[in-house]
Amino acid sequence: MSETADYKTEFVRAAIHGGPLSFGTFTLKSGRQSPYFFNAGQFYRADLLESISTAFGHTIAEADKADVFLAEGADKNTSEPTFDVVFGPAYKGVPLATAAVSALARLDKARYGSIGYAFDRKEAKDHGEGGSFVGAPLAGKRVVIVDDVITAGTAKREAVAKIRAAGGIVVAIVVALDRMETLPDAPTKESALGALRREFGLPILAILNLDSIIEGMKQFATPDDLARTEAYRAQYKAED
Ligand code: OMP
């Protein structure tokens, strides 16, 4: 993994050794039987949360500084961040957004000190402050969505629709893991991530993908788990 950024190597190591990335036989939302499963809910320990939030922070900051979130033709003023809010869909996206914003402030407080986090409620609250969202206001704001895994993209479509309905401008989606799979029942070998990117015309970034997990497994996993994951990739990997 010599060409992989240190934070990614550390993230794969923490995911495999700490428990979030496990090996066995798992039934996915799509019905496929996968030899590996990435459970973002397992990053609950302080040291694991540190590794995933650092990885999100670096990925977002690198894209921001490279103007990836700017629409084509937009004015470039690199002293200001190109987004305002990091949004994590409930439930698993909630700690990811919160921790990512904290990591951004650690990386560069002058640039990211004013970035907010937000998340949605599964059920709208009708008392107290009320509403369907918690955290930074979304109306008129440039929003980066963060989430755990992309397999088919369904949860990301829902998040984009909710944010747009609240007046927010979605500028990118960043996930911890792109499983790089073909869409179930699709006639082509198009990936879920590619389909989303074309549908919304948005940058969609992943900290890790199936290829980088397999690279990491060569260092951190057993040969048997590695062989089963490579066979799964040969069967389901998308072509774009
Ligand atoms: P979409 O790609 O937006 O449909 O969301 C994928 C969802 O699949 C995740 O948000 C999880 O609920 C679940 N999932 C995982 O968490 N980890 C995996 O490794 C695989 C899946 C999955 O079922 O595909």
Side-chain angles (χ1 to χ4, degrees), residues 55-67 69 83 104 107-108 111-112:
F56 267 110
H58 275 288
T59 304
I60 294 171
E62 281 167 13
D64 166 49
K65 288 176 181 169
D67 292 329
F69 303 150
F83 64 105
L104 283 165
L107 283 175
D108 188 344
R111 189 174 175 96
Y112 297 121

Side-chain angles (χ1 to χ4, degrees), residues 213-234:
I213 284 201
I214 286 176
E215 277 312 299
M217 287 179 79
K218 290 177 184 165
Q219 273 186 66
F220 304 121
T222 67
D224 186 46
D225 288 334
L226 176 61
R228 282 164 19 89
T229 307
E230 283 177 326
Y232 185 83
R233 174 170 67 175

Side-chain angles (χ1 to χ4, degrees), residues 64-65 67 70 75-82 108-114 142:
D64 166 49
K65 288 176 181 169
D67 292 329
L70 285 182
D75 262 358
K76 294 184 179 172
N77 173 4
T78 47
S79 66
E80 297 288 329
T82 55
D108 188 344
K109 201 174 278 181
R111 189 174 175 96
Y112 297 121
S114 64
R142 298 163 298 177

Side-chain angles (χ1 to χ4, degrees), residues 28-29 37-38 92 148-156 179:
L28 303 185
K29 222 158 86 170
F37 193 84
F38 181 83
K92 284 187 179 164
D148 54 358
V149 179
I150 185 161
T151 306
T154 321
K156 312 334 161 227
R179 292 185 55 103

